[in-house]
Amino acid sequence: MRLKKWMLLAGYMCLFLGFGYSCYSIFVDETGSNFWVMWGIASLVMGYQVINFLVEKKNDKWNNSYVVADQRVFRRILVSLSISYVFILIFLLIGTIGFYNDFISGYNILVGAIISSLLVFMISQIVQRFVH
């Protein structure tokens, strides 16, 4: 997949501003939630990514295109995402049955589904790297 330099920079900036806005809005909200710290860390990481991108590509023209993801890498990511998607659907189905029978709370189902699907995605990426 090929992207122009300005398109990638605009995407990074949108993520940086979105994470920063989420961090600020949760921080200002007086419910006592400390979730703003995670959004702040994500915002700092995206800010670093923007600065790093500008430093690395400062001599290129704004309309230059370059390869962001090779077709093989893109296919590998799609396979991992599909495995993770199937896993999260199964997890949520089991969690819904547990929630319906009062075995588990709804918040725990969502947190468990998100964390476990991320772990499945990472593990499938590692396994695919060794298989191919």
Side-chain angles (χ1 to χ4, degrees):
M1 176 183 349
R2 293 184 173 271
L3 289 177
K4 302 286 185 191
K5 178 182 174 184
W6 64 269
M7 293 170 65
L8 196 58
L9 183 63
Y12 286 156
M13 289 297 295
C14 286
L15 286 173
F16 169 68
L17 293 173
F19 290 152
Y21 175 74
S22 296
C23 173
Y24 178 73
S25 64
I26 293 173
F27 180 72
V28 172
D29 188 25
E30 297 184 11
T31 58
S33 175
N34 288 334
F35 197 62
W36 65 272
V37 175
M38 292 183 65
W39 286 113
I41 291 170
S43 180
L44 289 175
V45 168
M46 288 312 300
Y48 171 77
Q49 188 70 20
V50 167
I51 292 169
N52 190 26
F53 182 79
L54 288 173
V55 168
E56 283 183 3
K57 306 295 182 190
K58 69 179 178 180
N59 293 330
D60 292 344
K61 300 214 184 293
W62 282 100
N63 229 8
N64 283 354
S65 63
Y66 55 95
V67 175
V68 174
D70 192 359
Q71 192 69 8
R72 294 169 291 171
V73 173
F74 194 66
R75 192 174 306 129
R76 188 179 302 160
I77 291 171
L78 282 179
V79 169
S80 296
L81 282 175
S82 63
I83 291 170
S84 180
Y85 180 72
V86 169
F87 183 80
I88 199 168
L89 285 178
I90 292 170
F91 193 93
L92 287 176
L93 177 67
I94 293 169
T96 304
I97 293 169
F99 180 69
Y100 181 71
N101 293 324
D102 291 331
F103 291 138
I104 193 168
S105 69
Y107 181 75
N108 291 338
I109 294 169
L110 290 176
V111 170
I114 291 169
I115 291 172
S116 60
S117 67
L118 287 173
L119 288 174
V120 167
F121 178 77
M122 290 186 289
I123 291 170
S124 66
Q125 285 285 330
I126 293 169
V127 168
Q128 285 185 34
R129 181 170 293 151
F130 289 121
V131 169
H132 293 286

